[in-house]
Amino acid sequence: EAGMEHLSRMNLRQIDLLFVISDPSARGILTAHRIADITGPLGLEIKERYLIVNRAPDPIPEALSVKINQTVQDADLPLGGILPMSNDLTEQELSGSSYLKLSMEIPIIQQAFNIFSNCIEN
């Protein structure tokens, strides 16, 4: 499920694993912080939660790194991982093809699975 509104509507009260996904913008990282902040006052029971930054430039600009680290620290939202921009995903989306048809050999797919596996193992 997606969005702050989903959490604020209290559709779920108990969450085993929450991935807060952000784009690499200051507004996106701030929104991730807000999502982490509202979970407490809403009384949501979240066992684990992680920030994942998607479509990040490589290398990561210092200003973005600072914003991410501030959110990780201030919101008690561990960094699950950072996924770089991917031409493979862009081409797949522009062609109208399903992401499910992408090969597991594509680096971005492997990186995503590694991030999710690491978060689940913790």
Side-chain angles (χ1 to χ4, degrees):
E1 302 295 335
M4 290 173 56
E5 64 280 352
H6 184 75
L7 294 174
S8 64
R9 287 185 189 144
M10 308 284 285
N11 292 342
L12 297 171
R13 292 203 178 262
Q14 296 177 329
I15 301 170
D16 290 331
L17 183 58
L18 177 67
F19 290 113
V20 180
I21 312 294
S22 176
D23 68 4
S25 68
R27 183 172 292 168
I29 301 298
L30 176 61
T31 300
H33 192 296
R34 287 182 181 158
I35 288 171
D37 286 347
I38 68 166
T39 60
L42 290 175
L44 301 176
E45 296 176 32
I46 300 173
K47 291 181 183 174
E48 293 181 69
R49 60 188 186 168
Y50 294 95
L51 171 63
I52 297 177
V53 180
N54 193 24
R55 295 181 289 148
D58 188 20
I60 304 233
E62 181 64 25
L64 175 58
S65 183
V66 166
K67 294 258 185 230
I68 292 169
N69 290 333
Q70 281 178 324
T71 294
V72 165
Q73 182 177 354
D74 296 347
D76 189 27
L77 183 63
L79 180 61
I82 298 175
L83 291 167
M85 182 67 129
S86 167
N87 289 335
D88 292 313
L89 292 181
T90 301
E91 290 171 14
Q92 192 78 355
E93 194 276 329
L94 290 172
S95 72
S97 296
S98 170
Y99 291 133
L100 297 174
K101 294 181 180 178
L102 287 169
S103 167
M104 290 296 292
E105 303 305 314
I106 293 175
I108 192 72
I109 300 296
Q110 292 176 354
Q111 288 173 304
F113 273 93
N114 287 338
I115 288 171
F116 297 136
S117 293
N118 288 336
C119 291
I120 290 170
E121 290 173 2
N122 287 336

